[in-house]
Amino acid sequence: MPPANHRQPPFFLTGTANPLVRLVMLRRIEVLMQAIVLVLAVTWLGIPLEVVPMSALIALLAAVNLITQWRLDKGAPVSENEILLHLAFDAGILGLLLYFAGGSANPFVSLFLLPPTLAAAMLPARHAWAMAAITLAAYTSLIFWNLPLPSPRGDLAELDALLARATAGGEHAGHSNSFALHVLGMWLNFVISVGVVVFFLTRMAAALKDRERQLAAAREATLRNEQILALGTLAAGAAHQLGTPLGTMAIVIRELQLSHENDPEIREDLTLLREQVDRCKQTISQILASTGQSRDESLRSMTVDAYLHRLLDEWQIIRPHALLSVALQGTQPAPLIAADRTLEQAILNLLDNAADANGASQEALRFAANWDGETCRIEILDCGPGLNVDAAERLGDMYFSTKAITPERPGGIGIGLFLSNATVERFGGKVELFNRTDRRGGACTRVTLPMSRLKA
């Protein structure tokens, strides 16, 4: 665990949830609305504003936004202080624009609420309070230093008459044009503010939901890794304990072979039994060896078709009575791959599951594989009863097995598919299990692996 004084950076400072990306989008809206309001104020309302300096400020804001977008495209990291600096810059531009348009008397002065709101949503508390202090200082300065907002030259008689009727006794009649302009500015200010707030908060809510999904996936992966670690510990202990009885069995089988050399039938059965014991000893040795062996040391380079043929030959030793039909095709010459023992064991587990599902069917188990430069796809098709709805929903859960319990077979313990799926995912692939749609019925186990993770 990290030390107590170690503070992780906020989630939104990395990846697609970077707040600077949102600020760039909001700034585009800001530049567009400022330009529109300036044009309408000068042309439609006839207000003689300082067009040149105000246009220069809007152009400066647009230029800084373009530079920020270019910096984001470069993929440079973003700090909390930089976010604060951008918000302060936006507040400064707004303050200068209001300076040329009446200062604190301008109805758009309430837009100063947006920078501290954004800071409170995106940054730590100290940055939010700093942003609040900056905007308060700007607002206060505009009370004492500003250029008065000139009276409009346009005709606002209709709007003024409507406002006069709406107020008690027409008390604002003496200030018709200025009051009408103020109300119109307040309305525009509300439209802009509500649009920006809704836009930003919906994006923040989407980012929070996305982070919740990522955290849930991370918790699930951590739990699965803990389960795999526990299984690995148990497997290593069991392997150590099974070594002695298997060695004893091998000695007894050897003595039985020597004493039944003249009986071909018994000798054949004992040979098969000896192969199975040797196979068990080899597996145990590999488990014990893997505890001190890195993945790179266990890699063996060979072509993908040779790898699959060797794997199937090994499985046929384990399941000598299983009928198997093999179809391999892909680009030639076949690419070289280097897969460690864990991937072999995962595919062997899937073959075992399919053979068990095939049961006493006279149909052969079908193993089909094809590959190209990007992907290797493996399909294992059995002719068993297929999957019911409950099994389809719980497949891959630890300790859930679809194998029926019979006198000859005590059923499965439900870790084969779980471990196989975890191993394949570690190689960047996936395991899919679904019912076949052809007339033969049964299930199909599909393994998809990226060649980039397998190539030697």
Side-chain angles (χ1 to χ4, degrees):
M1 294 182 61
N5 61 352
H6 177 76
R7 188 173 63 85
Q8 294 291 338
F11 75 93
F12 44 72
L13 294 184
T14 58
T16 57
N18 190 331
L20 194 55
V21 176
R22 295 191 180 88
L23 284 182
V24 168
M25 291 188 292
L26 289 173
R27 222 181 247 155
R28 292 171 186 165
I29 300 174
E30 183 182 351
V31 169
L32 178 62
M33 296 307 299
Q34 287 173 352
I36 291 175
V37 170
L38 180 60
V39 171
L40 289 178
V42 174
T43 58
W44 180 46
L45 301 178
I47 303 175
L49 296 172
E50 298 289 339
V51 177
V52 174
M54 296 179 74
S55 299
L57 289 171
I58 296 174
L60 175 62
L61 184 62
V64 170
N65 203 44
L66 289 175
I67 294 173
T68 305
Q69 181 64 61
W70 171 81
R71 184 184 175 285
L72 286 172
D73 293 339
K74 300 277 289 182
V78 178
S79 66
E80 295 169 342
N81 291 333
E82 183 177 354
I83 300 295
L84 178 64
L85 183 61
H86 279 279
L87 291 172
F89 175 76
D90 290 346
I93 292 293
L94 177 61
L96 290 174
L97 288 172
L98 293 176
Y99 168 81
F100 291 106
S104 60
N106 192 300
F108 287 97
V109 75
S110 60
L111 288 176
F112 274 127
L113 290 173
L114 287 179
T117 301
L118 299 179
M122 297 187 299
L123 300 175
R126 66 177 185 277
H127 292 77
W129 284 111
M131 194 67 246
I134 292 171
T135 52
L136 179 60
Y139 195 131
T140 306
S141 300
L142 289 173
I143 297 176
F144 302 101
W145 296 286
N146 63 77
L147 297 180
L149 187 66
S151 299
R153 297 173 184 170
D155 185 12
L156 296 178
E158 293 184 6
L159 178 61
D160 188 50
L162 178 64
L163 293 170
R165 290 193 299 270
T167 55
E171 58 188 270
H172 296 287
H175 305 283
S176 61
N177 283 345
S178 60
F179 183 66
L181 180 63
H182 186 78
V183 172
L184 179 62
M186 289 175 62
W187 179 81
L188 288 174
N189 181 27
F190 176 79
V191 171
I192 295 171
S193 299
V194 74
V196 170
V197 169
V198 170
F199 172 81
F200 181 79
L201 291 183
T202 52
R203 292 299 184 94
M204 286 295 296
L208 288 174
K209 290 180 180 178
D210 183 63
R211 184 173 187 247
E212 288 177 359
R213 286 192 295 268
Q214 293 177 0
L215 289 175
R219 284 193 295 267
E220 184 178 348
T222 301
L223 177 61
R224 184 179 61 194
N225 290 337
E226 290 176 354
Q227 292 173 332
I228 293 173
L229 179 60
L231 286 173
T233 303
L234 291 174
H240 181 74
Q241 294 176 7
L242 289 173
T244 300
L246 284 174
T248 303
M249 290 172 63
I251 294 173
V252 173
I253 292 171
R254 179 59 180 166
E255 292 178 352
L256 289 173
Q257 285 178 318
L258 293 176
S259 60
H260 294 83
E261 288 183 349
N262 298 324
D263 191 333
E265 185 176 349
I266 294 180
R267 189 173 66 245
E268 182 180 353
D269 291 340
L270 290 173
T271 300
L272 176 60
L273 186 58
R274 177 62 183 268
E275 290 176 352
Q276 299 296 331
V277 170
D278 289 342
R279 170 64 185 162
C280 292
K281 292 174 64 178
Q282 180 185 3
T283 301
I284 289 174
S285 298
Q286 289 169 346
I287 292 174
L288 294 174
S290 64
T291 58
Q293 184 182 48
S294 67
R295 180 176 182 270
D296 291 338
E297 293 171 346
S298 63
L299 298 180
R300 287 170 287 181
S301 298
M302 61 181 66
T303 60
V304 63
D305 51 354
Y307 172 81
L308 293 174
H309 277 301
R310 185 185 61 79
L311 185 145
L312 294 173
D313 290 341
E314 184 177 341
W315 183 75
Q316 288 278 219
I317 296 175
I318 304 172
R319 307 290 289 260
H321 301 297
L323 300 176
L324 183 65
S325 171
V326 179
L328 306 180
Q329 59 180 355
T331 56
Q332 295 295 335
L336 280 175
I337 65 170
D340 63 20
R341 180 64 190 173
T342 58
L343 181 60
E344 295 179 20
Q345 190 60 52
I347 299 176
L348 291 175
N349 285 340
L350 297 176
L351 279 166
D352 281 336
N353 288 344
D356 291 337
N358 217 39
S361 173
Q362 300 300 317
E363 296 283 346
L365 196 67
R366 183 183 172 194
F367 183 95
N370 63 82
W371 59 86
D372 52 32
E374 302 295 330
T375 309
C376 177
R377 302 175 188 85
I378 298 172
E379 288 190 350
I380 306 170
L381 298 94
D382 63 64
C383 299
L387 303 170
N388 57 37
V389 177
D390 180 62
E393 292 179 350
R394 297 189 59 190
L395 277 175
D397 290 353
M398 195 171 179
Y399 304 126
F400 173 75
S401 176
T402 60
K403 297 178 182 179
I405 299 177
T406 64
E408 296 79 15
R409 186 183 63 190
I413 60 175
I415 63 172
L417 182 59
F418 173 79
L419 292 176
S420 297
N421 186 59
T423 301
V424 171
E425 285 184 352
R426 186 166 61 87
F427 282 86
K430 62 179 179 179
V431 178
E432 301 169 275
L433 189 57
F434 51 89
N435 286 324
R436 297 171 61 179
T437 56
D438 55 63
R439 61 181 180 83
R440 295 184 177 180
C444 173
T445 305
R446 178 181 296 160
V447 179
T448 306
L449 291 162
M451 293 298 295
S452 59
R453 300 286 292 273
L454 299 178
K455 287 183 178 179

